[in-house]
Amino acid sequence: MYNGKLLDGYVVFVEVVESGSFTVAAERTQHSTSYISKEVTKLEERLGVRLLQRTTRTLKLTPEGENFYQHARDVVDAAQAAEESLSGSQIEPSGLLKITCPVALGLSTMSVIFTQYAQRYPKVTLDIDLSDKKVDVIEQGIDIAIRASDRLEDSSLISRKLFTDRGITVLLPLIFNDTERH
């Protein structure tokens, strides 16, 4: 049976036990003391047992609390190990990235983006083809094809709109009075 609240309160409870104080647990988890207290109370109510004996000055595990703490600690450790196992698989991108882009767009807008990408991911080698010719991205092994168009042709390729640019070229005549001309 599904229980979406199965692990609610485990981390807070373990932190309270290990810090020996609701106040210290609140500081460590960056929550308020009342939040910490409410989370432990909700956990106790859900489990139907008292986990901690509380007084104004002391905090002590009940026998049920001691047993539950051991299991909760194992669950929290397993969750942390699961997350840490992913950090090793999220390696820095590396290898060759083949990009095709129209000449004007590549020399203007995209050049800054390409430079920033290369700085952020130094293990990636960018192979940028600035060309206005239509290319077969599959045949040429292109990873990214950037196109300046108001609509895309029907395709089985995945496409995303990067931005819209309505460029206008304005020519301003230079006006000199006779004394400024040389």
Side-chain angles (χ1 to χ4, degrees):
M1 175 169 49
Y2 173 74
N3 180 354
K5 297 184 181 226
L6 179 65
L7 302 177
D8 286 2
Y10 277 52
V11 173
V12 169
F13 174 72
V14 167
E15 192 62 48
V16 168
V17 172
E18 292 179 355
S19 66
S21 159
F22 281 80
T23 303
V24 174
E27 290 170 3
R28 288 183 182 173
T29 61
Q30 297 180 343
H31 288 290
S32 67
T33 304
S34 66
Y35 171 83
I36 299 296
S37 178
K38 288 175 187 174
E39 285 296 300
V40 171
T41 300
K42 286 192 287 188
L43 178 63
E44 289 175 326
E45 288 172 357
R46 194 175 83 239
L47 298 173
V49 297
R50 190 94 166 145
L51 299 172
L52 296 166
Q53 290 294 337
R54 309 165 180 84
T55 67
T56 54
R57 295 180 188 238
T58 62
L59 186 68
K60 184 178 176 185
L61 284 167
T62 64
E64 296 85 1
E66 181 65 43
N67 181 43
F68 183 77
Y69 166 73
Q70 296 303 323
H71 292 290
R73 175 78 262 169
D74 290 343
V75 168
V76 171
D77 287 343
Q80 286 175 329
E83 285 192 12
E84 289 169 5
S85 74
L86 291 178
S87 65
S89 67
Q90 295 176 350
I91 58 174
E92 182 179 356
S94 62
L96 179 65
L97 183 61
K98 293 182 78 172
I99 302 170
T100 181
C101 181
V103 176
L105 186 61
L107 293 175
S108 62
T109 307
M110 297 307 296
S111 65
V112 173
I113 294 169
F114 294 150
T115 301
Q116 289 172 344
Y117 185 91
Q119 289 171 345
R120 183 169 182 183
Y121 303 107
K123 293 182 181 178
V124 174
T125 301
L126 296 180
D127 178 0
I128 302 169
D129 174 37
L130 297 181
S131 173
D132 294 324
K133 293 185 283 181
K134 188 174 179 177
V135 296
D136 184 335
V137 295
I138 303 297
E139 184 179 301
Q140 294 187 13
I142 303 292
D143 298 304
I144 300 172
I146 300 170
R147 294 291 169 247
S149 176
D150 58 349
R151 59 193 156 122
L152 295 172
E153 296 177 16
D154 289 338
S155 174
S156 62
L157 302 173
I158 298 171
S159 63
R160 299 283 185 267
K161 182 176 183 177
L162 296 178
F163 60 88
T164 301
D165 185 16
R166 304 232 183 251
I168 299 172
T169 303
V170 178
L171 299 175
L172 297 175
L174 295 176
I175 301 173
F176 298 102
N177 61 30
D178 288 337
T179 59
E180 292 180 26
R181 288 190 187 195
H182 297 184

